[in-house]
Amino acid sequence: MEYYYCVYCGAKYSSLQSLTRGTCSRNQNGKYHEYFAGGEKPKYFCKFCGASYSSLQSLTRGTCNRNPDGRYHSPYAGDEKKQYLCEFCGSKYSSLQSLTRGTCNRNPDGRYHSPAL
């Protein structure tokens, strides 16, 4: 059976319709859950700091000091790779955590490297 997860809180639903009907307290852009396109994975990584968790719900509960919105970890939708590229400058790193630690002078937020999918 395929499950559908909210990108903001990690809530799990058996149908996309059920997911998008429910309200989400962590969605700052609206009030409903939004679909996480990354699917089920053995590990989930934060796209801002590279932290890894075994469940999407655990990841989205933790606060992230590198999130430009200043709130929670945000999931990286891509798969685990041998090499990660910054979407703004193209720098290469061997881990997502290493990538997100470095500052990027081409990032519009003026902060850290951000992984390209």
Side-chain angles (χ1 to χ4, degrees):
M1 175 178 234
E2 185 177 356
Y3 292 102
Y4 301 88
Y5 297 88
C6 175
V7 71
Y8 297 108
C9 70
K12 176 174 145 179
Y13 289 86
S14 59
S15 75
L16 188 56
Q17 189 176 22
S18 298
L19 171 76
T20 56
R21 274 191 208 157
T23 58
C24 180
S25 61
R26 299 245 174 113
N27 183 348
Q28 296 176 6
N29 303 322
K31 66 178 190 174
Y32 297 102
H33 293 294
E34 288 185 25
Y35 175 62
F36 170 64
E40 291 190 26
K41 302 174 181 295
K43 281 186 178 180
Y44 296 90
F45 297 91
C46 175
K47 69 181 178 184
F48 297 114
C49 72
S52 68
Y53 290 83
S54 59
S55 76
L56 187 58
Q57 198 167 34
S58 297
L59 173 75
T60 57
R61 282 184 186 156
T63 56
C64 179
N65 62 353
R66 296 217 174 162
N67 185 335
D69 296 332
R71 304 261 352 234
Y72 303 101
H73 291 296
S74 186
Y76 170 66
D79 292 324
E80 196 169 0
K81 303 175 184 178
K82 290 184 180 178
Q83 196 172 64
Y84 295 88
L85 300 172
C86 175
E87 72 174 307
F88 300 109
C89 69
S91 295
K92 297 177 185 178
Y93 291 85
S94 61
S95 74
L96 188 58
Q97 196 167 30
S98 296
L99 171 76
T100 56
R101 282 186 183 159
T103 56
C104 179
N105 58 1
R106 294 192 182 173
N107 184 335
D109 291 336
R111 298 195 39 144
Y112 302 101
H113 293 295
S114 182
L117 293 176

